Amino acid sequence: MSDRVFGIVGVLLAIGYALAALTIEESFLSDAVGPKAFPLIIAALLGISSAVIALRPDPEPHWPALGRLAEIFGAVVVMILYAEMLPIAGFVLATVFAAAYLAWRLGSKPVEALLTGIGTSVGIYSVFHLLLGLSLARGPWGF
């Protein structure tokens, strides 16, 4: 039963996300794909995967222990803080901290997690900003 509820909530979330994406205004100088394409792709993937979960639920789902649920809640809080800190700290710095925390919670040692955060942040920045020329949130140092 819990899988079906989760799947239905995911489908509703995907519909809401798609409707929100459709309200994005396109500027006169947008690229051929436009700003709506990526959010609509994410909404479609979320909707399809949620529908599969709702239609083919696990017969006996196993819920994680309370400690594991607290870790999941912590990851959600970090992602919310990440979104809030992007305009203040910038993409590179905010991504270092978010990726490092998530890598640490996934089992990396603290130094390895920090190196993973730095590598992830610099790698994504290099591909999306330097190679593809996309605009990312600027931090106090201009990147």
Side-chain angles (χ1 to χ4, degrees):
M1 179 68 177
S2 61
D3 283 355
R4 288 187 197 265
V5 172
F6 178 71
I8 291 169
V9 168
V11 168
L12 293 174
L13 182 65
I15 291 169
Y17 191 73
L19 291 174
L22 291 173
T23 64
I24 296 172
E25 293 184 25
E26 296 186 34
S27 74
F28 177 69
L29 299 172
S30 67
D31 58 7
V33 176
K36 297 178 187 180
F38 185 71
L40 288 174
I41 291 169
I42 297 298
L45 292 173
L46 175 61
I48 292 168
S49 60
S50 296
V52 169
I53 291 171
L55 296 173
R56 298 186 57 183
D58 189 1
E60 292 188 33
H62 174 71
W63 283 89
L66 186 60
R68 191 58 81 175
L69 284 174
E71 286 186 25
I72 293 169
F73 179 73
V76 169
V77 168
V78 165
M79 295 309 294
I80 291 169
L81 289 173
Y82 174 68
E84 292 295 321
M85 292 305 295
L86 270 173
I88 299 165
F91 177 82
V92 174
L93 188 60
T95 303
V96 165
F97 285 108
Y101 174 80
L102 294 173
W104 173 61
R105 294 316 311 145
L106 287 170
S108 295
K109 293 182 171 84
V111 174
E112 293 171 344
L114 181 60
L115 292 174
T116 299
I118 292 169
T120 300
S121 179
V122 171
I124 292 172
Y125 180 82
S126 297
V127 170
F128 284 94
H129 184 70
L130 300 177
L131 291 177
L132 298 176
L134 298 176
S135 176
L136 298 173
R138 290 181 176 237
W141 301 288
F143 57 86

